[in-house]
Amino acid sequence: MGPKTAKVYDTIRARLASGEYAAGDKMPSERALVEELGIGRTALRQVLARLVAEGSLEVRGRSSYRVPGAVSVQAPTGLEPWRIHGERDLYDNRWVKLQLWDVEPPGMERFEHHVVKLHHVAVTAVLDDQDRVLMMWRYRFVPQQWGWELPGGIVDEGEEPADTALREVVEETGWRPKSVDHVVTYQPMVGMVDSPHEVFVGHGAEQVGSPTDLEEAGHIEWVPLADIPGLMARGELMGSGTLVALLHILASRGKQGATAAH
């Protein structure tokens, strides 16, 4: 992405962040953006494709884009949440906290429920201009399995998740993305475990050295996105953060392909 294209990308990102393009809004047409921003249509489509991959835009119809956020389904009203009467620690160290919570679902008797508190985590899928994603081949002793993972790690106290995303990519792979964009925050085991996971997509990585986190580093490779479904079928993609990030990217690419086919 050249300087002019990068400037257009930054302009549209700023408009999205400021709310000038609000959730559910239809984006101006490609022709209007080409004329307003002084960019060629091919370069503009490169910018829009990147914003779609990041989740900042979604494709609606032929060459039509909308800002995500508008949905047809409405959240039900009038339902009561569980009441939490208290909690007590059973075990606590720097990695994991195990608690018992005294809870009362609506219309049911109170009971104690185990709750596991783990760390806040950031995971990053770094893409290059050849449709490849930066991954590590690692051994995980808990499932006793080798597999591919995206770089990621614990958000330190007082650290912004986006800063964690950048730091972990550099420490674990030796590559530094020029930018990372937030895709989604989710809980991997919402029924019992509290461990917020932040997923980011990064672009424009350059190699700045060797991995410095030797415990976390593994064999590092740029894996073609076309290989991801096959690796998934073989069970070689490990960790929910890796799966969520890659499924998001594949779904975004699928929307682009569907639009191009019309």
Side-chain angles (χ1 to χ4, degrees), residues 71-225:
V71 295
S72 60
V73 64
Q74 299 296 317
T77 59
L79 301 178
E80 296 183 19
W82 289 25
R83 295 182 62 187
I84 302 172
H85 297 282
E87 59 187 59
R88 58 190 175 96
D89 293 350
L90 299 180
Y91 177 79
D92 187 9
N93 72 6
R94 61 175 295 200
W95 299 109
V96 60
K97 177 186 286 189
L98 176 61
Q99 298 178 310
L100 272 177
W101 286 22
D102 180 2
V103 298
E104 181 181 0
M108 298 180 63
E109 295 184 359
R110 291 164 58 172
F111 63 93
E112 286 192 314
H113 192 289
H114 285 85
V115 174
V116 179
K117 288 186 173 288
L118 303 177
H119 286 285
H120 188 183
V121 173
V123 178
T124 308
V126 182
L127 301 173
D128 69 3
D129 57 6
Q130 299 180 53
D131 278 345
R132 300 181 303 178
V133 60
L134 184 62
M135 302 194 75
M136 301 177 297
W137 177 256
R138 298 186 56 193
Y139 182 75
R140 288 296 189 178
F141 72 89
V142 175
Q144 301 180 44
Q145 180 181 342
W146 290 92
W148 293 102
E149 291 185 25
L150 297 175
I154 295 169
V155 179
D156 291 339
E157 185 175 355
E159 186 177 35
E160 290 296 322
D163 294 333
T164 305
L166 280 169
R167 174 175 57 78
E168 290 289 342
V169 172
V170 175
E171 290 178 357
E172 295 185 358
T173 71
W175 290 79
R176 182 189 297 278
K178 292 181 179 178
S179 65
V180 294
D181 297 282
H182 183 260
V183 171
V184 68
T185 302
Y186 75 99
Q187 291 275 6
M189 295 181 64
V190 71
M192 184 178 292
V193 178
D194 178 19
S195 177
H197 279 47
E198 312 265 6
V199 173
F200 293 84
V201 175
H203 294 272
E206 58 180 2
Q207 193 165 17
V208 296
S210 299
T212 57
D213 190 340
L214 299 181
E215 180 183 345
E216 296 291 337
H219 170 77
I220 300 159
E221 188 164 331
W222 288 94
V223 176
L225 288 175

Side-chain angles (χ1 to χ4, degrees), residues 230-259:
L231 295 175
M232 188 181 304
R234 283 162 37 177
E236 293 184 3
L237 299 181
M238 293 201 297
S240 62
T242 293
L243 287 165
V244 169
L246 294 176
L247 286 171
H248 162 78
I249 292 168
L250 291 180
S252 299
R253 297 298 173 94
K255 288 181 180 179
Q256 295 176 50
T259 300

